[in-house]
Amino acid sequence: MEIWINPACSKCRSAVNLLDAEGASYTVRRYLDEVPTEDEIRAVLGRLGLEPWDITRTQETEAKELGLKEWARDESSRDRWIEALARHPKLIQRPIITADDGTAVVARTDEAVRDALGRHG
């Protein structure tokens, strides 16, 4: 299992602490340093069952500068959103845990972290 985190984010630190408390085996990806490629973002979206705008932090300054709130949210705009997330990783919602069974969750609550821990392949 892998967790994408920003160490400055309190929800990320909580998720990591909970994984440690549960004795989980995982790898950490500091996605602002190891920026995901467009293909990696597509793969995670597939595992999450979400669209790129579902994992975009639209309140971030960069989102406002790009005018993301006005962007269309449809199939033809999908690549544009994914490209923006790859170029501006700060816009990616966090933390994201990819579970052993091939699924993923946005783990912003303890419940979501426990959900990911329960998904053994």
Side-chain angles (χ1 to χ4, degrees):
M1 128 172 17
E2 182 176 72
I3 180 167
W4 290 9
I5 67 160
N6 168 359
C9 157
S10 62
K11 290 190 189 310
C12 293
R13 292 195 301 271
S14 299
V16 166
N17 289 340
L18 183 55
L19 290 176
D20 289 342
E22 297 286 339
S25 152
Y26 64 93
T27 53
V28 168
R29 176 161 185 173
R30 295 183 174 211
Y31 67 91
L32 297 180
D33 301 326
E34 279 182 77
V35 179
T37 63
E38 291 182 32
D39 283 344
E40 286 177 306
I41 292 169
R42 279 192 185 87
V44 159
L45 287 167
R47 293 172 75 158
L48 288 165
L50 295 174
E51 293 296 339
W53 44 85
D54 296 326
I55 64 160
T56 301
R57 297 171 58 86
T58 53
Q59 298 306 314
E60 292 283 343
T61 308
E62 291 174 9
K64 292 181 173 142
E65 286 167 1
L66 291 167
L68 280 182
K69 283 204 164 156
E70 279 69 59
W71 288 16
R73 298 181 178 209
D74 56 30
E75 189 57 39
S76 62
S77 306
R78 207 164 182 264
D79 287 345
R80 184 184 185 197
W81 283 84
I82 290 168
E83 185 184 324
L85 291 174
R87 282 206 184 150
H88 308 276
K90 200 180 273 188
L91 299 178
I92 299 172
Q93 188 58 272
R94 63 207 179 218
I96 293 175
I97 298 176
T98 51
D100 295 336
D101 68 354
T103 61
V105 295
V106 179
R108 294 183 63 73
T109 62
D110 287 354
E111 291 75 23
V113 176
R114 288 201 177 90
D115 182 29
L117 282 168
R119 296 182 183 197
H120 296 298

